Amino acid sequence: MAAVTATSNTTTTTARAVGAGSPTADLAPLQIERRALGASDVRIDIKFCGICHSDIHFARGEWGEIPYPAVPGHEIAGVVAAVGSDVTGFAVGDRVGVGCMVNSCRECENCQAGNEQYCIAGNTQTYGSVDRDGTFTYGGYSDHVVVDQDFVLRIPDEIPLEEAAPLLCAGITTYSPLRHWNAGPGKQVAVVGLGGLGHMAVKFAHALGAEVTVLSQSLRKQEDGLRLGADHYYATSDDATFTALAHRFDLIINTVSAVIDMGAMLSLVKTDGALVNVGAPSEPLPVPVFPLLMQRRTFAGSGIGSIRETQEMLEFCAEHGIAADIEVISADQVNEAWERVLASDVRYRFVIDNSTLTA
Amino acid sequence: MAAVTATSNTTTTTARAVGAGSPTADLAPLQIERRALGASDVRIDIKFCGICHSDIHFARGEWGEIPYPAVPGHEIAGVVAAVGSDVTGFAVGDRVGVGCMVNSCRECENCQAGNEQYCIAGNTQTYGSVDRDGTFTYGGYSDHVVVDQDFVLRIPDEIPLEEAAPLLCAGITTYSPLRHWNAGPGKQVAVVGLGGLGHMAVKFAHALGAEVTVLSQSLRKQEDGLRLGADHYYATSDDATFTALAHRFDLIINTVSAVIDMGAMLSLVKTDGALVNVGAPSEPLPVPVFPLLMQRRTFAGSGIGSIRETQEMLEFCAEHGIAADIEVISADQVNEAWERVLASDVRYRFVIDNSTLTA
């Protein structure tokens, strides 16, 4: 990292990164500028960064036009390299993480209530946002990042940094709805899709004490699912699944971003139960209303979690020996990894070893 | 009524009715048989029956094939004409009502919990169902009906029977979700559509203490809406409505059975708020997932209410001076009334004067 030792708060720093120059370009090494260390900023030497499906949607412009180069990555784990003069909670050498957001308006009712993930003005995303100082945000596929202390998480010593990285998105995105909808002892919880998010949802739901069922397209990953903590594993390609599990679940966490048969899935939800999407399909989902009406079911969505809840999740992981199942890659393998993500060929999260960045 | 004085519990009774002989036929006078009075049955001399949009969907076979003749009507208000030997809660002359259901399995967890409207085996609908004794159910477009005492409601003396009839469907269908989702002081509640259900939703939400906004296609019924208890009235045909009311509502009750712009409507819901359908469109609603994810919003459905809650609603109406706004018609005006229902030309519920039945 070129300028990790800089202490002036007026000097930007140059970061090695890997990013996309256009919606269709392969990722390639490049350099980006990080803002000068502000009084409340923490400069983080990034050790590992998880690869999320969102990174691909974003960089390829599938969620809207973006400026290039695009440097994604919002599952950041590293070590504090420098702190601004007003930073009190972090010191050089601390093990820290950054998730999907790096700022918010701090004034709306949600920010005031500590739910900055639902900032009404829109939170500042770790990549692809304009931050409050006017700078454009670049993600964690890079060697360092500068983030306001209020959006930095502490990674407990029990969790290896590379296994902690995916907790910052895949982890909190599944932990938060499981907590909000009260997954726990006596509750029947299903997880649709056993990918990066799904495998974390299974671990959390199990650790929270719920009876856990995986609903996957096939039984291909059944052994994994049971090992991760599922009590049952069913294939959604088999119509008998929907007969066997009718009216079974208090809560279904749907991690799949594709369009699914919502009527069939809702039929598995109990009266007053919820089907909660954490996957974000780009097309609207066709939702038949009768299955909602007839059992007062709800269809909801949930996005990441607050900083407070993310810290709680990390402590929960430390306490329960939970982390992500990962495959560590070098920076020059990112394009290949993206192809494998698109093919659902990863168990269960790629994590970039950021020491291999070469730009 | 031909046989209202019969007391034998082995004799069926012949009822005058009006019904449809086919999906395309006009309604016409006809006779149907009611089952013999069972030990726990109440025979009700029907004085008034409300006309619900569901009646039309049902009789025209739009919700699936049905046997004919079809005799709809599930907003029944009348007087007890006879009671079976085990009936303890009702006596001849009592003012009573019957809503959308006349039986349920009584064994499932929902029935056991007093939520028989969500009977897992499916409750027995007032018309178009096969009852537990194997007889086919006919609705309230007739001069009398025989119903198990557990599904008969007591109509408080304060409420005229003709104004009480629509409470049994339009009333409870809106009261139940308002209560379940905690409409009350400090809450912002919107009602989409100002028809039979919508006008009751406005009255209830206002009486419960919420700040009430009507969202209607146009401002045509604005004066009515404000008179009924709304604090605000907006046209959904005006794009400015969606800017002005962004993120406003804790709860939106959607009474519209047509497909609406769900993304636009969800944008009006607060974080953790709910959009609840009581309208039942026959086509799936296209629901964009991002508006759910970004503010942890829920889209839900709610169907009628339990018998216990329906009785509570009737008492609430008596206490707050609430009833339906109605237009009383004679039985020979039913076909015309249906056309006006389809054209949304009713303020706000047609009620048949069942003394005019001629079959």
Side-chain angles (χ1 to χ4, degrees), chain A residues 63 109-110 115 117-120 176 180-181 247 270-272 277-290 292-303, chain B residues 63 109-110 115 117-120 176 180-181 247 270-272 277-290 292-303:
Chain A
W63 284 346
E109 62 190 59
N110 288 340
N115 287 313
Q117 79 275 32
Y118 297 127
C119 173
I120 294 171
S176 183
H180 185 74
W181 275 274
H247 213 273
K270 274 187 189 167
T271 309
D272 289 327
N277 249 61
V278 292
S282 47
E283 295 299 306
L285 286 178
V287 178
V289 176
F290 269 94
L292 295 177
L293 291 178
M294 299 312 286
Q295 296 293 333
R296 198 163 55 194
R297 295 166 172 128
T298 60
F299 172 47
S302 177
Chain B
W63 284 346
E109 62 188 59
N110 288 339
N115 288 313
Q117 79 274 33
Y118 298 126
C119 174
I120 293 171
S176 182
H180 185 74
W181 275 274
H247 212 272
K270 276 187 188 166
T271 309
D272 288 327
N277 249 59
V278 292
S282 47
E283 295 299 305
L285 287 177
V287 178
V289 177
F290 270 95
L292 295 177
L293 291 177
M294 299 313 285
Q295 297 292 334
R296 199 164 54 194
R297 295 167 172 126
T298 60
F299 171 48
S302 177

Side-chain angles (χ1 to χ4, degrees), chain B residues 46-51 72-77 140-141 165 350-352 354:
Chain B
I46 303 176
K47 301 298 186 187
F48 298 96
C49 184
I51 292 178
H74 56 206
E75 295 184 338
I76 296 171
Y141 292 15
F350 288 116
V351 173
I352 303 167
N354 288 39

Side-chain angles (χ1 to χ4, degrees), chain B residues 12 33-38 41 102-104 124 129-137 146-148:
Chain B
T12 63
E33 288 298 299
R34 294 297 188 182
R35 71 164 178 252
L37 193 71
D41 280 341
V102 290
N103 219 333
S104 70
T124 305
S129 276
V130 176
D131 205 346
R132 298 177 80 205
D133 64 356
T135 58
F136 190 75
T137 61
V146 177
V147 177
D148 186 284

Side-chain angles (χ1 to χ4, degrees), chain B residues 52 169-170 173-174 191 193 195-202 255 278-279 348-349:
Chain B
C52 176
C169 170
T173 298
T174 50
V191 176
L197 272 65
H199 97 289
M200 290 308 310
V202 169
T255 72
V278 292
Y348 282 87
R349 207 65 155 175

Side-chain angles (χ1 to χ4, degrees), chain B residues 162-175:
Chain B
E162 58 271 41
E163 296 177 23
L167 301 176
L168 280 309
C169 170
I172 186 60
T173 298
T174 50
Y175 180 83

